[in-house]
Amino acid sequence: GEDVEQSLFLSVREGDSSVINCTYTDSSSTYLYWYKQEPGAGLQLLTYIFSNMDMKQDQRLTVLLNKKDKHLSLRIADTQTGDSAIYFCAEKGDSGAGSYQLTFGKGTKLSVIP
Amino acid sequence: SAVISQKPSRDICQRGTSLTIQCQVDSQVTMMFWYRQQPGQSLTLIATANQGSEATYESGFVIDKFPISRPNLTFSTLTVSNMSPEDSSIYLCSVQGSGTEAFFGQGTRLTVV
């Protein structure tokens, strides 16, 4: 089956930039997503990118996509303590009409040091 | 965006019992999805629930263990039946937005003792 890989942990100092990386295997991926999960909470959709784009910026968040290498990254500028959470990368393949299944990575736990 | 409410938010249950989790969406959606997130793991899709038809289960999940109801376009339930400690997980309801976004409820944290 398709696979999504992420590093499990990342630690950064407050004010620095965080870069969370993700690789995936599905060459037919149409959309790639980043979700944030705070302790005890559900998943919050942060941003997503269409597979024919290579960059998307939304305030402090920058998503970079290298489709050739199947590599996705999420950069958080000026990281704050409130950004401490688990970040999930997910991809949606192109398996035909009505296919909405997302494949998730295991999540990267971001710890922000004050 | 869709607003999704799940109940209960958490529960501690005895093994052998069943728990029904409710998912309410603030708008009509065609498809609703149920995911499981085991401790320290990623999300795994349990089943897709369409209104008016039987749910479609992923490999490793069966209707007898995880019966799903979808009585209308804004509501679904997932039951975890005959629970064992291995069923301790977070269960999440998800819907597809009008575009390409997928939204999630806050999850139900289940502990089976």
Side-chain angles (χ1 to χ4, degrees):
Chain A
E2 306 305 340
D3 197 22
V4 177
E5 297 283 342
Q6 299 177 241
S7 53
L8 296 182
F9 302 98
L10 176 66
S11 183
V12 298
R13 292 204 172 274
E14 189 174 16
D16 288 351
S17 292
S18 308
V19 179
I20 304 171
N21 294 300
C22 170
T23 58
Y24 58 97
T25 59
D26 185 0
S27 57
S28 67
S29 288
T30 54
Y31 290 90
L32 295 117
Y33 303 81
W34 285 104
Y35 286 87
K36 176 182 180 184
Q37 186 179 39
E38 296 183 77
L43 271 68
Q44 174 195 354
L45 176 64
L46 287 178
T47 187
Y48 65 95
I49 188 168
F50 186 44
S51 59
N52 70 353
M53 299 169 64
D54 52 22
M55 187 182 91
K56 181 177 181 181
Q57 186 154 3
D58 183 1
Q59 299 181 339
R60 292 191 297 123
L61 305 179
T62 303
V63 178
L64 295 178
L65 174 61
N66 182 328
K67 193 172 181 180
K68 173 176 170 289
D69 293 339
K70 300 190 185 68
H71 182 268
L72 182 75
S73 68
L74 174 69
R75 179 177 180 269
I76 305 172
D78 186 25
T79 311
Q80 303 298 306
T81 55
D83 295 324
S84 293
I86 299 175
Y87 290 80
F88 288 93
C89 170
E91 66 93 15
K92 182 165 77 172
D94 182 15
S95 303
S99 171
Y100 295 104
Q101 179 176 346
L102 300 185
T103 302
F104 284 83
K106 290 189 175 181
T108 299
K109 185 174 183 180
L110 174 64
S111 299
V112 182
I113 305 165
Chain B
S1 66
V3 177
I4 304 169
S5 300
Q6 267 187 250
K7 290 181 185 179
S9 58
R10 58 177 63 230
D11 207 342
I12 300 173
C13 300
Q14 296 289 327
R15 68 178 69 201
T17 63
S18 298
L19 175 72
T20 295
I21 303 167
Q22 299 179 4
C23 179
Q24 179 77 51
V25 189
D26 68 343
S27 57
Q28 294 184 339
V29 293
T30 304
M31 291 176 143
M32 295 177 77
F33 307 88
W34 288 98
Y35 285 83
R36 180 175 74 181
Q37 184 182 19
Q38 293 178 298
Q41 299 296 314
S42 182
L43 280 76
T44 302
L45 181 66
I46 297 171
T48 303
N50 293 337
Q51 194 266 335
S53 63
E54 279 199 7
T56 303
Y57 289 82
E58 297 300 309
S59 175
F61 298 97
V62 294
I63 188 171
D64 289 346
K65 175 68 175 177
F66 297 101
I68 288 172
S69 79
R70 184 77 203 275
N72 57 53
L73 290 173
T74 63
F75 187 78
S76 178
T77 67
L78 169 76
T79 299
V80 186
S81 303
N82 188 24
M83 288 183 283
S84 66
E86 292 71 35
D87 294 320
S88 298
S89 293
I90 300 173
Y91 292 85
L92 296 121
C93 170
S94 173
V95 303
Q96 189 80 17
S98 57
T100 57
E101 306 95 332
F103 299 102
F104 286 80
Q106 78 276 22
T108 297
R109 185 178 294 270
L110 171 62
T111 303
V112 184
V113 297

